[in-house]
DNA sequence: CAGATTTGTTTTAAACTTAAACTACTTTGT
DNA sequence: ACAAAGTAGTTTAAGTTTAAAACAAATCTG
């Protein structure tokens, strides 16, 4: 009977965990479709109008937010991509004169990456356009809908991050 | 004065178009963060537990929905990736015995891609887990929140698709 | 202070991705 | 029938991406 109780608990737990699983899966697939759609359009316009790839734009955006520069690792964390990836993108951006890498004083393992003046100017020009593209694509949403989506996606993000912790002990 | 009227119209149009542009940009960045987060976790688990990459899983999912098989082009459209990309993924899946490609009767340019029995079994096993991962990650959302997000993302997607058309005449 | 561990970055190998060029086939318009 | 245009798929070149391994420098520990 101890066994039975356990089994019943497990079934209940499974069903609770599965609550709306199908709907959550559909939500996920739709979110993926949406971001792929927007990302594809942004990528195409960056290429066509500025001859820039999206990863380079993203890295420049991260650096623009940090006028004093960032370490390679910090760029990697902000863009949520691997370290090695950042190395490659930084090399190409440096080759094009848009960023510079210089040794970090006090830690010879580390490098500080910064936008050059040319990089800053190029980014700021693109950023204005980029914001307009996004606003144009989302023009079918009211300000309230934008706010609701922003809020719920924040909650969803926290749910994903929180789900990891519950995992550890499992 | 004709000039003045035009200029005023343009300013109004610009401001209207820019309505909430910053908020829309923030929304977009948050959506991107969210999907990258989930995608990274799904990718890692598919790799660790099944030794499968996400693109391969996605292609198998598309084929599982179509028991009679799909043309390469139809797979490309459903996954929203390029033709050449599908060629590469299909080659690797075929090498692993998970799919087969056979000539389309009646059109010798075309090929029909189908899951093998092994591919179907492998996918179905993964699909159950996959759904549970997603549901687990989104367990912090109520059913109502899931419904609202699903609805608003649908609207956002239609907004992006619709924005193209308004563009044509510009 | 020497050895072990950790941290920051690069390198490597394999896969994925796209756009563009190309091949082969089919459809269309004369 | 036949040339032109279109469609299906592959190939190619360049770049992006990841995970894993290699490395170097800094930090910790006994």
């Amino acid at each position: 009977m101890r066994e039975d109780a356990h089994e019943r608990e497990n079934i209940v737990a499974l069903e609770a965990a599965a609550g709306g699983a199908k709907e959550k899966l559909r939500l996920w697939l739709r979110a993926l479709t949406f971001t792929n759609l927007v990302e594809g359009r942004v990528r195409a316009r960056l290429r066509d109008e500025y001859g820039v790839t999206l990863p380079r734009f993203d890295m420049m955006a991260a650096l623009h937010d940090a006028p004093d520069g960032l370490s390679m690792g910090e760029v990697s964390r902000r863009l949520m991509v691997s370290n090695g990836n950042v190395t490659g993108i930084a090399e190409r951006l440096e080759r094009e004169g848009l960023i510079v890498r210089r040794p970090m004083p006090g830690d010879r393992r580390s490098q500080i990456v910064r936008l050059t003046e040319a990089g800053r100017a190029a980014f700021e020009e693109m950023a204005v356009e980029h914001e307009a593209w996004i606003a144009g694509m989302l023009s079918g949403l009211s300000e309230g809908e934008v706010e609701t989506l922003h809020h719920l996606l924040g909650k969803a993000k926290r749910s994903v991050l929180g789900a990891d912790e519950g995992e550890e002990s499992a």
Side-chain angles (χ1 to χ4, degrees), chain A residues 48-144:
Chain A
D48 295 345
E49 299 186 20
Y50 297 105
V52 166
T53 64
L54 185 53
R56 288 177 210 191
F57 177 80
D58 288 342
M59 179 152 177
M60 292 172 81
L63 294 177
H64 191 262
D65 279 349
D68 295 338
L70 296 172
S71 69
M72 295 291 277
E74 184 57 28
V75 174
S76 164
R77 273 185 294 281
R78 293 201 186 193
L79 300 185
M80 298 197 294
V81 300
S82 67
N83 269 346
N85 193 351
V86 169
T87 299
I89 295 170
E91 272 166 9
R92 280 163 222 133
L93 281 175
E94 190 164 41
R95 201 189 302 150
E96 294 171 26
L98 298 170
I99 66 169
V100 283
R101 282 185 287 185
R102 49 179 65 262
M104 163 112 85
D107 188 338
R108 276 179 300 170
R109 292 170 304 181
S110 194
Q111 295 195 74
I112 299 274
V113 194
R114 276 202 301 107
L115 282 181
T116 60
E117 185 49 40
R120 197 190 56 73
F123 174 74
E124 288 178 1
E125 185 186 345
M126 291 188 288
V128 173
E129 280 286 289
H130 175 257
E131 181 177 310
W133 298 338
I134 301 296
M137 287 191 263
L138 297 184
S139 59
L141 297 179
S142 74
E143 293 193 15

